[in-house]
């Protein structure tokens, strides 16, 4: 599936709300991290078309023009520069920075350099980043040492700092969160006065529910599928974090509150979803709780490999007072057939994607 293209300028706009100035290395590190966390996106080359009226470039660093702050009034949107930068950044980038971990960013930046001369700190780190350096020093993550032979001080990660950095890298590599997909990959399915879903909405729902192989799908509540503590509770009705691979299929089978579908015609599967989510949503609306009228269903595909049942989560369907939204598991989204020819090859397991040729945690 083609990736969604964003402008690197959008990432820069978001970064200017975090730092007083940003360097080319900052942009490089942010780009790396953003794409790891948002694998369905692609960033194009940097062109400062929308930011040029508000920024200056000095010694390779991008910062706001003299006399301009994020509180400055901007006539283009009749609001502050902060609001204008948020507009340029867009929903996906704003969501990324909403959960931005500056401590992790700083550790990655220091690790990139290995060691940094104390006299170079002003050139390498912005004022905001220098404040974070002091916090890292208090935690024991960095240290300043004297290099006697050349008589200068340098900072580097301590063993504790490296252990923090290695742990963050491990956690990051294992992390897949619906927090990012809730606004970036959760796609609102449009409707009109005549139909529940427009043609584009139907296409996405078919991608989620149609079975092209000799497999089947189960539809159930996410709490019944995913391992660990409940994702959705009375106090937390919005999904925060999820690991697509961390499922407990035995929990779903034990609770027995799921429905199974096996055909490429997803009409019955959608009717089931529409009835189940619709009833839950209407109950909340009748209570006067329109904002809290949110409900979810998970779709998991069962396939056979090495004579055993294995399971791949396709994604999450969310219903609310405005209609439906869908979040695809990126691993599943990559293998959705895009043409009649691809679908025909998949019928009868004539051609299986690599995703179905491996064992998965049950």
């Amino acid at each position: 599936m083609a990736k969604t293209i964003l402008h690197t300028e959008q990432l820069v706009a978001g970064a200017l709300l975090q730092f007083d100035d940003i360097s080319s290395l900052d942009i490089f590190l942010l780009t790396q991290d953003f794409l790891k966390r948002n694998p369905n996106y692609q960033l194009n080359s940097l062109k400062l078309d929308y930011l040029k009226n508000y920024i200056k470039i000095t010694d390779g660093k991008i910062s706001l023009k003299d006399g301009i702050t994020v509180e400055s009034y901007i006539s283009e949107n009749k609001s502050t520069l902060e609001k204008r930068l948020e507009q340029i950044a867009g929903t996906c980038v704003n969501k990324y920075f909403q959960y931005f971990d500056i401590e992790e960013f700083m550790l990655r930046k220091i690790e990139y350099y290995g060691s940094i001369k104390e006299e170079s700190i002003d050139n390498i780190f912005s004022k905001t980043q220098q404040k974070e350096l002091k916090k890292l020093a208090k935690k024991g993550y960095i240290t300043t040492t004297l290099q006697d032979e050349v008589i200068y001080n340098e900072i580097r990660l301590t063993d504790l700092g490296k252990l923090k950095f290695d742990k963050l890298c491990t956690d990051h590599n294992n992390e897949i969160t619906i927090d990012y997909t809730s606004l970036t990959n959760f796609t609102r399915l449009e409707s009109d006065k005549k139909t529940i879903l427009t043609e584009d909405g139907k296409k996405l729902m078919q991608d989620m529910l149609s079975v092209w192989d000799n497999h089947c799908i189960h539809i159930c509540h996410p709490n019944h599928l995913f391992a660990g503590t409940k994702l959705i509770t009375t106090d937390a009705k919005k999904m925060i974090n999820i690991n697509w691979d961390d499922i407990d299929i035995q929990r779903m089978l034990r609770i027995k509150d799921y429905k199974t579908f096996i055909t490429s015609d997803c009409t019955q599967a959608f009717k089931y979803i529409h009835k189940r989510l619709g009833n839950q949503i209407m109950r909340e609306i009748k209570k006067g709780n329109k904002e809290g009228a949110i409900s979810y269903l998970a779709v998991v595909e069962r396939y056979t490999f090495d004579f055993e049942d294995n399971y791949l989560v396709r994604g999450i369907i969310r219903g609310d007072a405005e209609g439906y939204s869908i979040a695809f598991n990126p691993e599943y989204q990559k293998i959705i057939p895009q043409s009649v020819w691809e679908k025909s090859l998949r019928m009868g397991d004539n051609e299986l994607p690599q995703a179905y040729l491996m064992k998965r945690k049950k």
Side-chain angles (χ1 to χ4, degrees):
M1 181 168 287
K3 294 187 177 183
T4 301
I5 297 177
L6 293 179
H7 300 284
T8 302
E9 183 177 18
Q10 293 177 259
L11 194 63
V12 172
L16 286 171
L17 291 170
Q18 303 290 322
F19 307 122
D20 41 294
D21 62 58
I22 52 175
S23 65
S24 57
L25 177 59
D26 292 334
I27 296 172
F28 171 75
L29 293 174
L30 289 170
T31 298
Q32 273 191 330
D33 187 56
F34 177 86
L35 293 177
K36 284 182 179 178
R37 295 179 184 274
N38 298 274
N40 295 321
Y41 283 83
Q42 176 181 328
L43 290 169
N44 64 7
S45 57
L46 178 60
K47 293 181 180 180
L48 301 173
D49 295 330
Y50 296 97
L51 291 172
K52 60 185 178 183
N53 294 331
Y54 320 117
I55 62 170
K56 63 178 182 179
I57 301 177
T58 307
D59 297 327
K61 292 185 177 181
I62 300 173
S63 60
L64 298 181
K65 287 183 176 179
D66 295 337
I68 296 181
T69 69
V70 291
E71 287 82 24
S72 297
Y73 178 80
I74 302 299
S75 58
E76 286 91 334
N77 63 329
K78 298 180 181 179
S79 186
T80 63
L81 178 57
E82 179 180 16
K83 294 296 183 183
R84 179 60 179 151
L85 290 176
E86 288 176 351
Q87 288 177 349
I88 296 172
T91 301
C92 180
V93 172
N94 286 327
K95 188 66 175 179
Y96 166 73
F97 279 110
Q98 183 180 345
Y99 294 90
F100 182 65
D101 189 339
I102 190 171
E103 181 176 282
E104 178 187 350
F105 174 82
M106 291 296 294
L107 290 173
R108 286 195 292 120
K109 188 168 182 177
I110 297 168
E111 177 69 12
Y112 179 88
Y113 279 102
S115 63
I116 301 165
K117 292 181 180 179
E118 201 170 46
E119 63 192 46
S120 301
I121 287 177
D122 287 339
N123 184 50
I124 292 174
F125 299 104
S126 69
K127 291 183 175 63
T128 303
Q129 293 174 7
Q130 289 180 43
K131 291 179 182 178
E132 292 300 319
L133 279 180
K134 294 179 181 179
K135 294 179 182 179
L136 293 177
K138 286 182 179 180
K139 290 184 176 182
Y141 294 163
I142 60 173
T143 186
T144 302
T145 58
L146 175 64
Q147 303 300 311
D148 293 329
E149 63 274 14
V150 290
I151 316 179
Y152 66 80
N153 290 339
E154 66 177 17
I155 63 171
R156 61 175 64 242
L157 292 180
T158 63
D159 289 340
L160 178 60
K162 291 179 181 178
L163 180 68
K164 176 69 171 171
F165 176 74
D166 291 341
K167 183 179 184 303
L168 286 170
C169 289
T170 301
D171 291 345
H172 176 75
N173 288 336
N174 291 334
E175 179 187 63
I176 302 177
T177 64
I178 271 191
D179 226 318
Y180 291 105
T181 59
S182 61
L183 285 182
T184 59
N185 292 338
F186 248 123
T187 302
R188 170 68 68 180
L189 305 188
E190 298 296 331
S191 60
D192 55 38
K193 295 180 180 180
K194 295 182 180 179
T195 61
I196 299 174
L197 298 175
T198 62
E199 289 304 312
D200 289 340
K202 290 178 182 177
K203 170 63 168 58
L204 289 173
M205 191 64 78
Q206 288 169 353
D207 287 344
M208 180 67 79
L209 300 177
S210 296
V211 182
W212 302 283
D213 313 273
N214 288 334
H215 304 165
C216 70
I217 59 170
H218 304 306
I219 301 174
C220 66
H221 192 282
N223 284 354
H224 302 166
L225 176 64
F226 291 94
T229 58
K230 292 182 179 180
L231 295 172
I232 304 166
T233 65
T234 303
D235 297 324
K237 292 188 175 181
K238 292 187 177 180
M239 301 185 77
I240 302 300
N241 295 314
I242 192 170
N243 184 330
W244 294 109
D245 296 321
D246 189 20
I247 63 173
D248 181 358
I249 204 68
Q250 294 304 318
R251 177 186 290 179
M252 183 195 78
L253 297 175
R254 184 174 62 253
I255 296 173
K256 297 181 180 179
D257 185 23
Y258 65 91
K259 192 80 170 178
T260 303
F261 299 91
I262 62 173
T263 68
S264 58
D265 182 355
C266 66
T267 304
Q268 294 304 314
F270 178 65
K271 285 182 178 179
Y272 172 76
I273 289 169
H274 185 58
K275 182 178 180 180
R276 182 162 175 173
L277 292 183
N279 288 339
Q280 296 168 354
I281 293 165
M282 287 307 300
R283 281 199 299 269
E284 293 300 317
I285 292 176
K286 288 178 181 178
K287 294 177 185 177
N289 185 23
K290 184 176 181 180
E291 185 176 346
I294 302 172
S295 192
Y296 299 87
L297 285 172
V299 182
V300 59
E301 184 168 3
R302 186 184 75 200
Y303 64 96
T304 302
F305 177 70
D306 199 18
F307 305 103
E308 292 183 332
D309 287 338
N310 293 268
Y311 298 86
L312 171 65
V313 179
R314 285 188 169 192
I316 304 292
I317 299 173
R318 181 181 69 197
D320 56 37
E322 304 301 321
Y324 295 109
S325 300
I326 281 182
F328 286 101
N329 176 354
E331 189 170 5
Y332 167 71
Q333 193 171 24
K334 290 185 294 188
I335 60 174
I336 297 173
Q338 298 300 306
S339 66
V340 175
W341 172 247
E342 286 185 60
K343 291 176 183 177
S344 65
L345 288 176
R346 294 274 292 275
M347 291 294 184
D349 287 345
N350 292 316
E351 182 174 294
L352 279 178
Q354 184 64 34
Y356 299 128
L357 300 177
M358 61 180 68
K359 291 185 177 182
R360 295 180 187 275
K361 181 179 178 181
K362 298 179 182 180

